[in-house]
Amino acid sequence: GENVEQHPSTLSVQEGDSAVIKCTYSDSASNYFPWYKQELGKGPQLIIDIRSNVGEKKDQRIAVTLNKTAKHFSLHITETQPEDSAVYFCASRGGSYIPTFGRGTSLIVHP
Amino acid sequence: DSGVTQTPKHLITATGQRVTLRCSPRSGDLSVYWYQQSLDQGLQFLIQYYNGEERAKGNILERFSAQQFPDLHSELNLSSLELGDSALYFCASSVAGGEGETQYFGPGTRLLVL
């Protein structure tokens, strides 16, 4: 089955800095890659996603890049703010209907 | 607010007991997914239903079962509970459960087995 590796497990940045979270996947049939943000006490919320026919997608301060050849995709957050502090999960979905999730990255943004 | 609702929010019970978790999907969504989130295992897919029928099964124990009703709400039944079943249980929904569809997660049910 699909295996998704996510790094780093913890990321600490100063407000205003950029943050990058990286994921690799194993199934070459995977074609949909969502990113979720989970705040304390809440369920994961979709923040951005990318499909395999696109290399990059942006939404304000958030961007995702996909390298299908290398089987990795990354989340980029620019101008980080304290409210960006949360756990971020990447996921990969392809041959089956079910996404496989990374183990999560705890992002801490210091004011 | 994702539009997915889950009840109860918290549940405390004893080993050997049985509990039922409830999920109502977003209006118009036909597919429901159940996930278990624990500190050591991350977010694990349990089972998916589409319009009342089971569509996919993941790492769901035999002690666990689920169903989706005609009004599309779903219930996850956990029986013969063990300490290790303590976790957050999330329900998610999507329009039709197909490839590449966005899943919207509910706020979760926190289960504590004592």
Side-chain angles (χ1 to χ4, degrees):
Chain A
E2 173 73 292
N3 182 45
V4 176
E5 298 284 339
Q6 182 173 346
H7 299 280
S9 56
T10 305
L11 181 57
S12 183
V13 300
Q14 288 296 127
E15 183 176 359
D17 287 351
S18 293
V20 180
I21 302 170
K22 299 181 179 181
C23 288
T24 60
Y25 61 98
S26 60
D27 187 352
S28 56
S30 293
N31 56 18
Y32 175 62
F33 307 91
W35 284 89
Y36 289 86
K37 175 183 181 182
Q38 186 175 17
E39 296 176 328
L40 199 61
K42 298 184 179 180
Q45 300 299 314
L46 180 75
I47 55 171
I48 196 167
D49 56 13
I50 192 167
R51 298 175 195 275
S52 59
N53 57 347
V54 175
E56 183 176 3
K57 184 176 178 181
K58 287 184 180 178
D59 183 3
Q60 299 183 346
R61 297 185 296 106
I62 293 173
V64 58
T65 58
L66 171 65
N67 183 327
K68 283 213 74 179
T69 304
K71 293 186 199 164
H72 68 71
F73 56 113
S74 301
L75 177 72
H76 304 253
I77 306 174
T78 59
E79 300 171 27
T80 53
Q81 301 166 4
E83 51 265 38
D84 293 330
S85 296
V87 178
Y88 291 81
F89 292 94
C90 64
S92 170
R93 185 172 177 178
S96 75
Y97 296 112
I98 309 307
T100 300
F101 287 81
R103 295 297 297 267
T105 295
S106 178
L107 174 64
I108 303 164
V109 181
H110 299 280
Chain B
D1 184 2
S2 67
V4 178
T5 60
Q6 288 186 248
T7 56
K9 195 172 177 65
H10 301 278
L11 200 47
I12 302 175
T13 189
T15 53
Q17 295 298 304
R18 172 189 168 93
V19 297
T20 297
L21 313 184
R22 183 188 168 103
C23 167
S24 293
R26 293 188 323 154
S27 177
D29 284 0
L30 298 178
S31 193
V32 169
Y33 310 76
W34 285 98
Y35 291 87
Q36 180 191 59
Q37 186 178 42
S38 58
L39 282 175
D40 58 341
Q41 291 293 325
L43 201 59
Q44 298 287 317
F45 165 71
L46 296 177
I47 197 164
Q48 178 198 6
Y49 280 82
Y50 169 72
N51 205 20
E53 300 291 325
E54 181 184 306
R55 172 168 273 185
K57 221 169 195 178
N59 301 320
I60 188 166
L61 299 172
E62 285 191 11
R63 300 184 286 109
F64 296 1
S65 64
Q67 54 184 328
Q68 185 180 28
F69 294 87
D71 67 352
L72 301 177
H73 91 271
S74 178
E75 292 181 356
L76 178 67
N77 300 295
L78 315 176
S79 62
S80 302
L81 285 167
E82 302 175 359
L83 295 177
D85 297 327
S86 296
L88 273 167
Y89 291 84
F90 288 105
C91 166
S93 74
S94 68
V95 175
E99 279 189 36
E101 273 194 4
T102 299
Q103 294 184 15
Y104 295 90
F105 282 77
T109 293
R110 184 176 294 277
L111 173 67
L112 180 60
V113 182
L114 299 175

